[in-house]
Amino acid sequence: MAYVYLLEEVPHSVGESGPWTKIGCSKNPPEWRLGANLKRGNPRDLRLPVVYEFDTERAMWDAEGYAHEQFQKFAHQKEWFNISWQEIAAWADALGWRRRAAN
């Protein structure tokens, strides 16, 4: 299994810049990356609201690349986007991406 995930950076207070969403991918469950290195050095809370499953790494890479292209106008520093995870998820859901069942 391979995964494309949406990672939300939760602002400290109302009115702070945002929303910020990372569109990323991983061959391992994204929770591993969150615990291992995505949280390090970030003072804000990070939340993993949606994970999509793909049968192959190629499909995962293609999906992540397509999402990055789709939301390019919101891009900021590689995989972070100034758009809500809900908007990205609605787009991905409409394409028929398969959400991973909640653990």
Side-chain angles (χ1 to χ4, degrees), residues 1-4 25-27 53-67 69 97:
M1 201 59 60
Y3 307 94
V4 172
C25 65
S26 177
K27 295 181 282 183
E53 292 181 330
F54 293 87
D55 293 327
T56 67
E57 286 182 46
R58 170 71 1 221
M60 170 196 74
W61 287 114
D62 289 348
E64 185 203 33
Y66 188 42
E69 287 175 20
W97 290 13

Side-chain angles (χ1 to χ4, degrees), residues 11-102:
H12 288 300
S13 61
V14 175
E16 232 181 334
S17 74
W20 292 104
T21 304
K22 176 182 170 66
I23 304 171
C25 65
S26 177
K27 295 181 282 183
N28 295 314
E31 293 82 1
W32 294 7
R33 296 218 44 230
L34 181 61
N37 62 7
L38 291 175
K39 181 67 179 143
R40 207 175 301 147
N42 189 337
R44 290 182 173 83
D45 290 331
L46 299 177
R47 196 172 72 82
L48 194 62
V50 180
V51 177
Y52 293 97
E53 292 181 330
F54 293 87
D55 293 327
T56 67
E57 286 182 46
R58 170 71 1 221
M60 170 196 74
W61 287 114
D62 289 348
E64 185 203 33
Y66 188 42
H68 283 204
E69 287 175 20
Q70 179 68 27
F71 297 101
Q72 182 60 42
K73 67 181 176 185
F74 302 102
H76 177 74
Q77 297 184 351
K78 297 186 181 180
E79 297 183 336
W80 285 96
F81 298 82
N82 189 203
I83 186 172
S84 74
W85 70 265
Q86 293 94 334
E87 292 176 81
I88 299 169
W91 170 83
D93 292 342
L95 290 177
W97 290 13
R98 185 177 69 227
R99 285 190 186 210
R100 182 181 67 182

